[in-house]
Amino acid sequence: MSKSGPKLATVARVKALTEVQTGMVLIFEGTEKLHLILVLLLCVGMTIVIEMAPPSSFRSKENADAEAKEGCGACSYGKTVESPPISKLTAAVGHYIFRQGYGCGACYEVKCTDNAACSGKPVTVVVSDECPSCSGYHFNLSGAAFASIANPGQQDILRKLGQVNLQYRRVSCSFGRSIAFRMGENSEPNKLEVSMEYVNGDADIHIENGPEQGLEISHVWGATWSVFAGGYAIQPPFNFTLVQRYPDGTKGKTILVPNIFTQDWKIGQVYQSTINF
């Protein structure tokens, strides 16, 4: 079961809710300033309703300025998101979900049900970018993801609405048995930048190495981490201790990924682990 904490939903304009599932609904209204207008408590669990931005601020991954480096995004995944297992089903998210990049690679199940063009079927998307101008819990779906929540042949109808109510929840990612570690373009002999992709599970991932390897490891931004050895040249291979951390502060599983990279590492090189969560 996912341990994600309570989520708030922001909408540009409140619409009548014709169907509320068992749970808790938190709705905010406003443009520059948000006002709490309704808190409806029902039993346990929650229903989350969010509204997409109007056409003037809705951003498709296919033409967004933040995607100038095609397919890159704030998580620095590059064009890997275009191929399986992600297959372009991605989203740029607001800061409460992105969280300086700890949200990179997280999987969310989204669906829309309040329009005839909506399929009502859940689609799993992967966080690959931040939307700095969006509200905290906003989702900007990629073109492929937005088309996937519509009925066949009705994608354009859904897009022309401009605003779409979505229900979402974080779900466990299941990418396979391997995690990809990529050597970043800013890496130097005494300081490496490494990004992670295809991490299974429903938690944030932290690298929490002990001092036994003489390495200082810290989160940079997005899915990128810095590996520093006190000014000395780093001599791979080295190990990473990956820890699952949930929003409520609890700790999940821990795995050890051994022998990452080789002494003759190169920028852009990808190391595939033999272990995943």
Side-chain angles (χ1 to χ4, degrees):
M1 177 181 295
S2 172
K3 297 185 180 181
S4 302
K7 310 175 187 68
L8 303 181
T10 60
V11 298
R13 292 189 296 274
V14 175
K15 294 182 178 180
L17 299 180
T18 57
E19 181 179 357
V20 178
Q21 299 174 357
T22 301
M24 178 175 67
V25 179
L26 297 179
I27 300 179
F28 286 75
E29 181 181 30
T31 52
E32 296 180 357
K33 185 176 181 180
L34 301 178
H35 302 280
L36 178 62
I37 64 167
L38 174 66
V39 178
L40 176 61
L41 301 176
L42 298 171
C43 304
V44 295
M46 66 182 65
T47 294
I48 306 299
V49 181
I50 68 173
E51 188 167 11
M52 301 293 287
S56 60
S57 58
F58 176 77
R59 184 184 68 170
S60 168
K61 288 289 187 65
E62 294 166 339
N63 57 14
D65 291 339
E67 296 286 335
K69 295 180 179 179
E70 183 179 355
C72 186
C75 296
S76 300
Y77 290 149
K79 291 188 176 183
T80 59
V81 298
E82 298 179 6
S83 304
I86 298 177
S87 302
K88 300 183 180 180
L89 297 177
T90 60
V93 296
H95 61 278
Y96 286 129
I97 296 176
F98 186 74
R99 287 171 290 108
Q100 297 184 325
Y102 284 108
C104 283
C107 294
Y108 285 86
E109 187 180 88
V110 300
K111 66 178 180 179
C112 70
T113 60
D114 67 342
N115 187 278
C118 294
S119 70
K121 298 178 180 179
V123 175
T124 299
V125 298
V126 177
V127 174
S128 65
D129 195 7
E130 182 185 23
C131 181
S133 61
C134 296
S135 58
Y137 292 91
H138 190 96
F139 281 75
N140 269 344
L141 301 181
S142 66
F146 196 70
S148 296
I149 65 174
N151 288 317
Q154 296 185 307
Q155 293 88 346
D156 288 342
I157 297 175
L158 205 59
R159 288 193 181 98
K160 289 177 181 178
L161 291 176
Q163 298 182 106
V164 179
N165 289 328
L166 292 180
Q167 296 177 17
Y168 80 93
R169 67 187 181 102
R170 187 167 183 176
V171 295
S172 182
C173 295
S174 183
F175 293 122
R177 299 180 179 180
S178 181
I179 300 172
F181 296 87
R182 184 181 302 274
M183 189 68 75
E185 60 182 13
N186 294 320
S187 295
E188 301 174 354
N190 63 348
K191 185 178 181 180
L192 307 181
E193 287 194 355
V194 180
S195 63
M196 292 184 290
E197 191 175 8
Y198 309 128
V199 182
N200 291 339
D202 61 351
D204 296 342
I205 302 301
H206 292 237
I207 302 177
E208 300 184 3
N209 281 41
E212 66 278 357
Q213 295 184 90
L215 300 176
E216 300 175 23
I217 301 178
S218 59
H219 181 235
V220 179
W221 182 259
T224 301
W225 292 72
S226 171
V227 182
F228 185 65
Y232 296 97
I234 300 172
Q235 298 293 327
F238 46 80
N239 305 330
F240 275 167
T241 299
L242 305 186
V243 181
Q244 291 181 322
R245 294 284 181 181
Y246 290 94
D248 63 2
T250 59
K251 181 178 178 181
K253 297 178 181 178
T254 297
I255 62 173
L256 178 67
V257 183
N259 302 321
I260 297 177
F261 295 110
T262 58
Q263 290 189 3
D264 60 345
W265 60 267
K266 296 179 178 62
I267 289 177
Q269 180 183 0
V270 177
Y271 168 83
Q272 299 284 350
S273 74
T274 57
I275 188 172
N276 204 336
F277 288 98

